[in-house]
Amino acid sequence: VDSDDPFALLARDASGKVALNGTTTFPFTLVIPSSVASASASSSLNGAPVVCYGHGFFGDKKELEGAAPRAIMDHAGVVAIAIDWQGMSVDDISTVITDLGGDVSQTALLGDRVMQAMVNWAATTNAIKAGLFTSDPAFQRADGSPLVDGEAPLSYLGISEGHILGGVMNALNDDTEHVVLQVGGAGWTTIMFRARPFASFLGIMSIAMSDPLARPSTSRRATSRRCTRCAARARRCSASTCRRTR
């Protein structure tokens, strides 16, 4: 991208092709669970395998510090690392809201920063496989033995947004070998106007686009008739005295 701010777009040359634009840095969160930290060097000579964690809908890398992810990593005896999905993380919410409430056509440009996120993940996994985390004293035991095994097969766990974007990232990334994608739902063009997390954005969009015919479809799933007495779905109602809707 052409800068590090949330409004950044892909850097392009005079012909319009995507071009390199120097180098940048980005933060990460790495969790070493107690099951790994307390393991003796003799039982884990090369450290623990690494799992890359993809956060959810407009979240950030700090999700990895939550109770559920930490419990998973502790039980599995692995180290986990997470970075922000640039373009669709907490830092990008204000940009998306500004576009939705103004020039809605600009909203899709967040995809430019998502491409940068794919590159950032490639740099992260490459650093792991190259042994940068193994050699850093911050990721070693007191005796100098590594806590991170950069040579072990690299895995990925993506939740929600991390599922959807993670599918693309892992298709492009040669470093990851094992991939788990959880509760993704569907592609963005299908899910965003039918998913609860996007409801607040739709409200803002309705202000900028007052004509409902100009807005993307928000068709709802058809439902079966319900029993007027017990509110159960008619075909599942087991009460013999219940009246059914006509």
Side-chain angles (χ1 to χ4, degrees):
V1 289
D2 53 19
S3 72
D4 289 326
D5 66 64
F7 294 90
L9 300 176
L10 286 172
R12 298 180 183 276
D13 60 22
S15 65
K17 294 182 180 181
V18 177
L20 291 176
N21 185 33
T23 60
T24 187
T25 61
F26 54 90
F28 63 88
T29 294
L30 188 137
V31 170
I32 300 175
S34 57
S35 61
V36 174
S38 61
S40 63
S42 59
S43 65
S44 183
L45 294 176
N46 298 317
V50 180
V51 172
C52 299
Y53 181 84
H55 67 72
F57 191 75
F58 281 94
D60 61 22
K61 60 187 178 299
K62 293 181 180 179
E63 285 184 16
L64 181 56
E65 300 178 45
R70 284 188 294 132
I72 293 173
M73 306 311 166
D74 188 53
H75 178 75
V78 297
V79 171
I81 189 170
I83 64 173
D84 291 348
W85 284 111
Q86 286 193 11
M88 298 196 70
S89 67
V90 168
D91 291 341
D92 300 286
I93 292 178
S94 62
T95 303
V96 175
I97 290 177
T98 299
D99 290 338
L100 286 176
D103 187 349
V104 180
S105 65
Q106 298 297 306
T107 306
L109 294 178
L110 61 84
D112 277 24
R113 277 173 52 82
V114 172
M115 293 183 190
Q116 181 65 53
M118 303 293 174
V119 175
N120 291 353
W121 265 120
T124 301
T125 58
N126 185 264
I128 295 170
K129 300 299 286 185
L132 296 185
F133 289 92
T134 302
S135 58
D136 193 316
F139 309 112
Q140 295 176 352
R141 297 183 178 86
D143 63 2
S145 60
L147 290 165
V148 178
D149 185 356
E151 297 182 359
L154 194 59
S155 303
Y156 175 87
L157 170 61
I159 309 295
S160 187
E161 178 180 293
H163 171 150
I164 299 172
L165 298 181
V168 177
M169 188 278 285
N170 285 282
L172 298 172
N173 195 318
D174 292 332
D175 292 325
T176 52
E177 297 184 38
H178 307 295
V179 178
V180 175
L181 303 176
Q182 185 179 7
V183 295
W188 287 120
T189 54
T190 300
I191 197 175
M192 291 187 79
F193 298 96
R194 295 167 174 81
R196 290 181 180 177
F198 198 68
S200 57
F201 295 129
L202 287 178
I204 298 171
M205 181 182 291
S206 65
I207 297 174
M209 303 176 69
S210 57
D211 183 358
L213 296 180
R215 296 195 296 269
S217 171
T218 56
S219 59
R220 299 181 181 276
R221 181 173 51 185
T223 56
S224 62
R225 294 181 299 172
R226 296 179 180 275
C227 167
T228 57
R229 186 171 181 177
C230 68
R233 292 189 185 280
R235 66 175 181 271
R236 297 180 181 175
C237 180
S238 59
S240 61
T241 58
C242 279
R243 293 171 296 173
R244 302 178 186 277
T245 56
R246 300 298 180 185

